[in-house]
Amino acid sequence: MSESSNRKWVYLFEEGSGEQKSLLGGKGAGLADMTRAGLPVPPGFVVTTEACNAFYSNGKQFPEGMWEQVEAGLRAIEEKVGKRFGDPANPLLVSVRSGAAFSMPGMMDTVLNLGLNEQTVQGLAEQTGDLRFALDAYRRFASLFGEIVMGVAHEKFERVMDRYKARTRGGRDTDLEPEQLREIIAAEKQIIFAEQRGTAIPEDPYEQLRVAIAAVFNSWMGRRAVDYRRVHRISDELGTAVNVQAMVFGNMGAESGTGVAFTRNPSTGEKALYGEYLLNAQGEDVVAGIRTPNAISQLQKELPEVYKQFASIAERLERHYRDMQDVEFTIERGHLWMLQTRTGKRTGAAAVRVAVDMVHENLIDRATAVQRVTPEQLDQLLHPTVDPNNDATVLATGLPASPGAAQGCVVFDPDEAEEMARGGAKVVLVRQETSPDDFHGMVAAQAIVTARGGMTSHAAVVARGMGKSCVSGAGQLDIDYGQQQFSVDGTVVTKGEWITVDGSTGRVYLGQVPTVQPTLGTDFTELMSWADEFRQLRVRANADTPHDSQVARDYGAEGIGLCRTEHMFFGDERLAAMRQMILADGVGAREKALEKLLPLQRKDFVGIFQAMAGLPVTIRLLDPPLHEFLPNLQELLEELSEMKLTLQRSGSIREMDRLLDEIDEKRRLLQQVERLRENNPMLGHRGCRLGLVYPEVTRMQTRAIFEAACQVQGEGIIVKPEIMVPLVSTAEELRNQADLIREVAREVTGEYGMTIDFKVGTMIELPRAALTADKIAEYADFFSFGTNDLTQTTFGLSRDDSGRFLSLYVEHKILPDDPFQVLDPDGVGQLVRIGTERGRSVKPKLKVGICGEHGGEPRSIAFCNEIGLDYVSCSPFRVPIARLAAAQATLSREGEMIKEASA
């Protein structure tokens, strides 16, 4: 007997535990936990994630011994419920549901009422005394099995249902009579038979179960599941479990129903039951948004005893898991059954409030609260909202399914949404309701709007999980996919027109509506104060203006990690002076032009020093090549040609003289542009190389910095300037520039009779600099790794051009991530590590940080924390995210050390 056949592939719910998420999946582990706690859970078993992985390893064949264990699991369910699977007189029906270790709502497949055929449907009718119910269950099974297992498009079954519902008085599925249901079942079977070229739904219930389990395994590698995992960075290697569970029925009349609820509001975090239910329905009706459900509070009036029991169980589950729960339930003839509990998806605002409230409720500690909120959720809080004072046209109002404001062009097809977004367009996906097959379009869209569905519909849950704005159940929308338009009260909006979606209020506006920055509340402030208690990394900001500096400080920045002085040279007056300096003939003319720039630079530095009073400000000297400040070569050539044509048409001598002077001046400018033009400017005459060739530029910038520092310090404000020399590749380059900086500093402070506490350091952005950091450190007070350029020079990739193919590298797993978005730990990261270690071998207290885009990216921040950097620097609006990520990196590292010590 092989090792595979002896392996345990199937666990009864009572055999598992909540600690086995990786083996049983989140859903299976939750069902096991609830079963062991004595909650009302229909009996069932879990086919493990290991079986799924073995299925793929075995050429999509079940591993040896698995099916026999499934049959044994079925016998255990039969004994508990007193029914027999496939018995025509007393049939057991089961549901087959996916369940990965990480929640992936709606991304994989579910089949309900499995076990029905032409014989067992009659037995079910006699067993329950309700023919209509039995036929309704059968038509649901036929459509789900046809869609999930046999691959028939859902819309084909939906069209049949819509046609028959239109013939009823109420227009609802609950109004369908038994004879109509028989006709629907026959139509569904005919569709399947035609689509599958003569293949029908198996009549043998065991064969139904076998192919349904295989279909769930197959759905793990389906497009929507793969897309979801890519967005949420979940490994493909985990596999999905399969939950097989005795069916309980919410479609057995007025005292039956089904629902989905959260133990707290997933949009706001308010501590109150939040959810929806439908009477006389099955679970897919609520999640799919086919019928608009009732708020869970209404259940207290309709079935008060059931509501009381449910509220008690929901509270018990939350206290057990110490987190907000997302639960599914079914009521069968007044009896409550719990079908699922899992950690609830939530918005950024809800995540922060729930974490803070649970600390105050003594459910969790501060460290857990800090780890509970993801950086992506915190980012949502910083998104803009619709200006409440706008006078835009409100097209429709639906349910505020996922907060935030977003704008885009209307698109109705998820494939088209993805294609347009890939081309740079901003789109809003508008659908009757979304299904898991729409996921790739939802990822691409700025926002989602649906005409049907509730607060727990597929669109709502997925949008909240991704932090996208969503309005669901906007019933006023009359969507016409064929004409690619929707209409509301006579207003027609076609594909490509702009709309604005306010997911916080549920409003959909015509056109682009102004937005405003959000106001952060006390929960945010409290959570961030806890994060600051735990983190070791300091967090600075990249800021070039006094305004950006103040924004950064307001968000908790502990200094400026990168002030790009070249950004101060743009603007008509400044750019003219900069061009005059570049075009100057000789040092004297250059210095004269620089005299115009000095007071402008000094003024900027004064504002930044005032905003960052008492905090360090790292100022990078001029870095880009000079041609960036000059007109585009092609544009100059075109302007010169146009001027020559104008000269030929001119009839006035005075006009001709003026044009000749302008042409002469334009030619001189063109000559200078051609002279400065480089084939590879990013590796050319830039950074410290400019300062070495034109020391007067370094001198002017340094004088502006120290004059500003002296002025502000004279106002009683502490200043801490740090002058950073860019693009150093040898120690001698830094020595040359550092000597000049210190010389000018002595001159200026002597003139003002002051002492300024300052540092001189360098930006490590070339591999050679990292490898020779021990030599460079002799002349440096600090290192700041410019990881943008270091990534370019390490990979040999142009950041501007590689966007054309890097996405393909990530998609085909040639690279795990875009290295310009996530710091490459194996290459670029090792250079950062080596540079830090070698620099500190010479100066043990050398201050080291990073200031590239990676400074605000959570995984990159974790790497910086691991190798012992002092700080990260990022854009002002990512400062809170960096603060949180730095705290989580410290807590995660401490947790790993505790595990290693205990092992």
Side-chain angles (χ1 to χ4, degrees):
M1 187 175 286
S2 70
E3 182 184 344
S4 175
S5 63
N6 289 326
R7 198 162 176 181
K8 190 169 179 61
W9 302 111
V10 173
Y11 286 74
L12 300 177
F13 290 164
E14 57 267 30
E15 294 176 326
S17 80
E19 304 299 315
Q20 295 177 293
K21 276 190 177 182
S22 60
L23 179 67
L24 305 180
K27 192 187 299 274
L31 287 165
D33 246 3
M34 290 195 293
T35 299
R36 290 160 70 101
L39 296 181
V41 177
F45 59 84
V46 184
V47 185
T48 66
T49 57
E50 290 178 349
C52 177
N53 289 328
F55 172 81
Y56 280 103
S57 300
N58 198 33
K60 293 194 175 182
Q61 299 295 317
F62 292 155
E64 189 177 350
M66 191 203 92
W67 181 248
E68 290 75 13
Q69 293 180 33
V70 167
E71 291 179 316
L74 273 175
R75 289 194 293 273
I77 298 175
E78 289 173 338
E79 290 174 15
K80 290 183 177 77
V81 300
K83 300 175 184 177
R84 292 289 176 267
F85 193 60
D87 185 340
N90 187 29
L92 166 69
L93 304 185
V94 296
S95 62
V96 180
R97 298 173 184 261
S98 62
F102 293 93
S103 176
M104 296 171 58
M107 291 303 115
M108 290 177 296
D109 291 335
T110 295
V111 179
L112 303 179
N113 307 324
L114 190 139
L116 281 172
N117 57 28
E118 290 298 330
Q119 288 74 45
T120 55
V121 72
Q122 297 303 321
L124 181 63
E126 292 170 13
Q127 186 187 78
T128 59
D130 190 338
L131 175 62
R132 190 206 170 280
F133 153 72
L135 292 170
D136 184 53
Y138 196 15
R139 69 92 185 163
R140 291 170 183 273
F141 165 69
S143 63
L144 275 174
F145 195 92
E147 177 189 353
I148 302 306
V149 180
M150 306 186 80
V152 179
H154 168 76
E155 289 78 9
K156 293 181 182 293
F157 301 122
E158 192 66 21
R159 282 198 290 269
V160 172
M161 278 295 291
D162 288 343
R163 191 164 66 245
Y164 276 87
K165 283 193 294 185
R167 298 174 187 173
T168 66
R169 182 172 295 178
R172 298 167 298 186
D173 54 356
T174 51
D175 298 320
L176 293 166
E177 296 294 332
E179 193 53 43
Q180 292 173 304
L181 289 168
R182 286 188 194 278
E183 292 175 13
I184 290 170
I185 294 164
E188 289 174 338
K189 287 185 173 184
Q190 183 58 42
I191 289 170
I192 293 167
F193 192 80
E195 289 280 322
Q196 295 297 307
R197 297 181 181 178
T199 302
I201 297 174
E203 283 291 296
D204 179 3
Y206 284 91
E207 180 63 12
Q208 292 176 5
L209 181 59
R210 187 189 67 77
V211 294
I213 292 173
V216 173
F217 281 164
N218 282 320
S219 72
W220 174 252
M221 293 307 294
R223 176 180 179 175
R224 64 195 189 220
V226 171
D227 285 347
Y228 186 92
R229 290 197 297 275
R230 188 175 70 248
V231 170
H232 294 278
R233 296 196 292 270
I234 298 171
S235 170
D236 289 340
E237 310 302 320
L238 298 176
T240 182
V242 181
N243 301 279
V244 179
Q245 189 173 22
M247 280 295 303
V248 288
F249 301 99
N251 55 331
M252 295 187 73
E255 290 197 340
S256 300
T258 186
V260 178
F262 296 82
T263 53
R264 303 191 186 214
N265 188 310
S267 289
T268 67
E270 179 188 359
K271 188 180 180 181
L273 268 181
Y274 179 95
E276 296 167 325
Y277 72 99
L278 284 168
L279 292 182
N280 200 16
Q282 286 198 325
E284 291 302 299
D285 296 342
V286 177
V287 177
I290 293 167
R291 285 163 56 190
T292 301
N294 303 313
I296 194 73
S297 56
Q298 183 68 19
L299 186 62
Q300 191 169 10
K301 299 176 183 176
E302 294 193 295
L303 297 171
E305 288 303 314
V306 170
Y307 178 85
K308 183 178 178 182
Q309 183 188 7
F310 175 73
S312 174
I313 289 173
E315 183 179 0
R316 182 177 167 185
L317 288 170
E318 182 177 274
R319 297 195 74 81
H320 172 74
Y321 289 105
R322 298 175 184 270
D323 201 356
M324 183 185 90
Q325 294 298 292
D326 168 2
V327 295
E328 292 182 16
F329 63 93
T330 285
I331 307 158
E332 183 179 279
R333 292 178 170 171
H335 186 93
L336 176 67
W337 294 98
M338 303 302 295
L339 304 183
Q340 172 179 282
T341 187
R342 63 185 175 190
T343 301
K345 299 286 184 184
R346 65 204 75 179
T347 65
V352 171
R353 179 170 175 180
V354 169
V356 172
D357 283 353
M358 284 191 168
V359 170
H360 295 314
E361 294 164 21
N362 295 317
L363 283 174
I364 59 175
D365 59 20
R366 291 181 175 186
T368 303
V370 168
Q371 291 172 297
R372 188 70 59 80
V373 180
T374 68
E376 292 80 10
Q377 288 171 327
L378 198 66
D379 189 29
Q380 291 176 33
L381 290 184
L382 309 176
H383 287 179
T385 57
V386 168
D387 185 347
N389 297 318
N390 78 82
D391 57 358
T393 301
V394 177
L395 285 171
T397 301
L399 298 171
S402 185
Q407 303 164 333
C409 301
V410 170
V411 63
F412 297 94
D413 179 80
D415 292 334
E416 196 167 5
E418 184 179 53
E419 184 180 345
M420 290 174 66
R422 197 179 287 133
K426 291 186 175 181
V427 300
V428 174
L429 182 63
V430 179
R431 303 285 286 166
Q432 290 285 5
E433 73 258 353
T434 62
S435 74
D437 289 328
D438 296 331
F439 179 73
H440 58 291
M442 299 173 75
V443 171
Q446 302 294 311
I448 300 106
V449 177
T450 66
R452 299 198 294 233
M455 297 293 285
T456 56
S457 65
H458 175 267
V461 172
V462 172
R464 282 197 294 267
M466 291 192 294
K468 288 186 184 286
S469 301
C470 177
V471 172
S472 62
Q476 308 101 306
L477 299 185
D478 182 7
I479 299 173
D480 186 333
Y481 290 144
Q483 295 296 318
Q484 294 285 281
Q485 66 182 37
F486 70 80
S487 58
V488 185
D489 296 331
T491 300
V492 177
V493 178
T494 58
K495 186 183 82 172
E497 288 191 56
W498 280 80
I499 61 172
T500 298
V501 179
D502 187 349
S504 302
T505 64
R507 295 190 183 98
V508 180
Y509 296 89
L510 184 64
Q512 296 173 268
V513 180
T515 57
V516 294
Q517 288 302 318
T519 302
L520 302 174
T522 56
D523 290 334
F524 169 85
T525 303
E526 191 164 14
L527 182 78
M528 295 312 299
S529 71
W530 299 339
D532 292 340
E533 290 174 14
F534 294 112
R535 66 184 167 90
Q536 295 172 341
L537 278 171
R538 301 295 92 194
V539 177
R540 299 190 187 184
N542 304 335
D544 311 322
T545 67
H547 174 266
D548 286 351
S549 301
Q550 189 59 55
V551 169
R553 184 153 196 164
D554 292 343
Y555 278 132
E558 296 160 302
I560 300 297
L562 176 62
C563 174
R564 307 172 188 87
T565 54
E566 61 270 13
H567 288 184
M568 299 174 178
F569 293 135
F570 291 102
D572 291 344
E573 180 185 1
R574 298 172 183 224
L575 190 57
M578 188 66 180
R579 286 178 176 174
Q580 184 182 344
M581 185 275 293
I582 295 169
L583 300 173
D585 294 324
V587 175
R590 249 192 314 277
E591 287 179 338
K592 188 173 181 181
L594 287 168
E595 285 175 8
K596 297 180 181 179
L597 287 169
L598 190 148
L600 301 173
Q601 284 238 290
R602 180 176 61 224
K603 181 181 177 183
D604 287 329
F605 294 139
V606 165
I608 291 171
F609 287 144
Q610 289 171 336
M612 304 307 292
L615 297 176
V617 177
T618 303
I619 301 168
R620 183 179 72 186
L621 299 180
L622 188 64
D623 182 46
L626 294 178
H627 81 273
E628 288 195 8
F629 299 98
L630 297 176
N632 178 274
L633 177 64
Q634 188 60 40
E635 289 177 3
L636 277 176
L637 288 169
E638 290 173 2
E639 288 173 11
L640 196 57
S641 296
E642 185 64 33
M643 291 170 75
K644 288 178 180 178
L645 288 172
T646 305
L647 179 64
Q648 292 173 4
R649 293 192 297 265
S650 176
S652 160
I653 294 176
R654 180 179 295 178
E655 178 71 8
M656 291 175 68
D657 288 343
R658 183 186 64 78
L659 283 168
L660 285 168
D661 288 342
E662 289 182 4
I663 288 171
D664 191 47
E665 184 181 336
K666 191 73 72 175
R667 278 184 177 142
R668 285 198 303 272
L669 181 58
L670 181 62
Q671 288 170 357
Q672 289 289 70
V673 170
E674 288 177 328
R675 180 177 64 82
L676 292 170
R677 189 182 182 194
E678 296 176 292
N679 289 326
N680 195 345
M682 297 315 292
L683 295 177
H685 192 199
R686 55 170 286 219
C688 67
R689 300 159 191 171
L690 285 172
L692 283 158
V693 175
Y694 304 127
E696 54 273 19
V697 175
T698 300
R699 182 177 292 277
M700 180 279 291
Q701 288 200 289
T702 303
R703 174 165 281 277
I705 291 167
F706 282 96
E707 285 183 1
C710 289
Q711 179 181 326
V712 174
Q713 189 164 290
E715 298 168 2
I717 297 171
I718 298 172
V719 292
K720 295 182 178 180
E722 299 179 346
I723 296 92
M724 183 160 67
V725 180
L727 210 75
V728 162
S729 59
T730 72
E732 192 59 25
E733 286 174 322
L734 180 59
R735 186 202 62 75
N736 176 288
Q737 292 291 282
D739 286 350
L740 179 56
I741 291 164
R742 292 189 172 103
E743 176 191 323
V744 175
R746 285 191 296 271
E747 289 176 7
V748 176
T749 54
E751 292 166 10
Y752 279 81
M754 288 185 177
T755 299
I756 298 291
D757 178 20
F758 72 94
K759 289 181 169 60
V760 179
T762 186
M763 201 168 186
I764 306 288
E765 47 196 326
L766 298 172
R768 190 182 192 282
L771 295 171
T772 60
D774 50 340
K775 295 180 175 61
I776 292 172
E778 293 178 21
Y779 306 104
D781 300 319
F782 67 89
F783 284 171
S784 180
F785 285 89
T787 53
N788 296 341
D789 273 356
L790 188 58
T791 297
Q792 289 197 104
T793 53
T794 301
F795 274 93
L797 285 173
S798 163
R799 183 171 42 158
D800 296 327
D801 300 320
S802 58
R804 300 173 188 172
F805 59 85
L806 269 181
S807 59
L808 183 142
Y809 268 52
V810 175
E811 183 179 337
H812 292 277
K813 300 184 181 178
I814 296 168
L815 289 173
D817 299 284
D818 181 335
F820 293 108
Q821 295 179 11
V822 181
L823 185 67
D824 160 45
D826 299 327
V828 179
Q830 292 313 304
L831 287 172
V832 176
R833 186 193 297 269
I834 289 166
T836 302
E837 290 171 352
R838 291 186 181 177
R840 285 177 175 166
S841 71
V842 174
K843 291 184 177 176
K845 294 186 178 180
L846 184 74
K847 184 159 61 175
V848 183
I850 70 166
C851 60
E853 293 298 319
H854 302 106
E857 198 283 316
R859 283 179 288 167
S860 307
I861 290 169
F863 179 81
C864 294
N865 185 76
E866 178 189 327
I867 65 173
L869 298 195
D870 295 297
Y871 70 87
V872 296
S873 187
C874 58
S875 71
F877 288 100
R878 289 197 71 83
V879 165
I881 295 160
R883 289 164 65 193
L884 179 68
Q888 291 176 341
T890 300
L891 291 167
S892 176
R893 184 69 181 146
E894 289 174 355
E896 289 171 7
M897 292 170 68
I898 291 169
K899 283 182 183 177
E900 289 169 6
S902 62

